[in-house]
Amino acid sequence: MIELSNVTLGYAHKTVLQSLTFTFPERGVVGVLGSSGVGKTTLFKLLLGRIQPDSGRVSGLAGKRVSVVFQEDRLLSHLSALENVTLVNDGRDALPWLSAMQLREVANEPISALSGGMQRRVAIARALHYGGDILLLDEPFKGLDDALRESILPAIKQAFPLIIVALHEQHEARAFGCDTVLTLH
């Protein structure tokens, strides 16, 4: 299990996470809720090992493969949707993931020709194609309407044993079907 033990972390003169202790389950969907600036993305950076806490510890990630959808799509605009997804795992067919995100018909279109919502779904498809043990989703559905979100959510939830999703509101956690909620203040 992934555990945060008395984790404190700050930037410059602001403490973002203060004495945070939390144990993530092995499976399921965990919603990390809070307003902008409370530390959701910072928590993800800790889980990815990109930063270390000022005090406390993060454990249970050794040997885990973590896939992530950042707030920014981080796509290469000169490549097609399919090429962007294939970048993370050349050995497997990426088309099923684009199909799951309802993007098969634009697979060969350059990213620059796609709408913001389509680009977002390409970023999600890329994370799903990468695979792993844990999926981190940092505000994954910006630019997507409710009907589209509902239609792609099952594919996302079936792809990983543990999904940790950063959200702003409790109703978003209910819509995502979160099993557990960690609220940051």
Side-chain angles (χ1 to χ4, degrees):
M1 283 191 272
I2 302 164
E3 293 183 325
L4 306 172
S5 301
N6 207 28
V7 170
T8 297
L9 187 128
Y11 300 104
H13 300 292
K14 181 180 180 192
T15 300
V16 180
L17 300 174
Q18 177 71 48
S19 302
L20 178 62
T21 297
F22 187 80
T23 301
F24 291 90
E26 291 288 324
R27 305 185 71 72
V29 180
V30 177
V32 179
L33 297 183
S35 59
S36 296
V38 298
K40 299 181 300 292
T41 299
T42 297
L43 175 59
F44 279 19
K45 289 177 183 177
L46 281 168
L47 294 173
L48 289 167
R50 294 179 66 195
I51 57 175
Q52 297 300 313
D54 296 330
S55 64
R57 70 182 172 89
V58 179
S59 61
L61 286 162
K64 302 277 188 194
R65 184 171 166 151
V66 181
S67 189
V68 62
V69 175
F70 298 97
Q71 285 184 25
E72 318 82 26
D73 296 327
R74 299 184 182 191
L75 301 171
L76 299 175
S77 61
H78 65 285
L79 297 179
S80 71
L82 182 59
E83 289 168 326
N84 267 278
V85 175
T86 304
L87 281 173
V88 298
N89 199 337
D90 289 333
R92 294 185 321 194
D93 182 14
L95 274 176
W97 296 117
L98 286 170
S99 294
M101 296 299 107
Q102 301 178 14
L103 294 169
R104 186 177 189 94
E105 69 283 352
V106 297
N108 294 311
E109 295 292 324
I111 288 298
S112 58
L114 302 182
S115 71
M118 288 177 166
Q119 290 180 25
R120 191 66 177 158
R121 287 181 283 149
V122 171
I124 294 169
R126 181 183 55 202
L128 298 177
H129 185 58
Y130 180 74
D133 304 299
I134 303 164
L135 175 63
L136 302 179
L137 298 168
D138 198 350
E139 300 179 25
F141 296 132
K142 65 179 182 185
L144 304 182
D145 61 41
D146 291 344
L148 185 55
R149 182 193 70 227
E150 291 301 317
S151 68
I152 65 172
L153 192 54
I156 297 169
K157 290 175 78 171
Q158 292 171 5
F160 290 81
L162 177 61
I163 297 171
I164 304 171
V165 57
L167 303 164
H168 286 282
E169 305 288 338
Q170 186 68 38
H171 70 87
E172 293 173 309
R174 281 192 299 276
F176 204 94
C178 294
D179 304 305
T180 306
V181 172
L182 167 60
T183 303
L184 300 178
H185 303 282

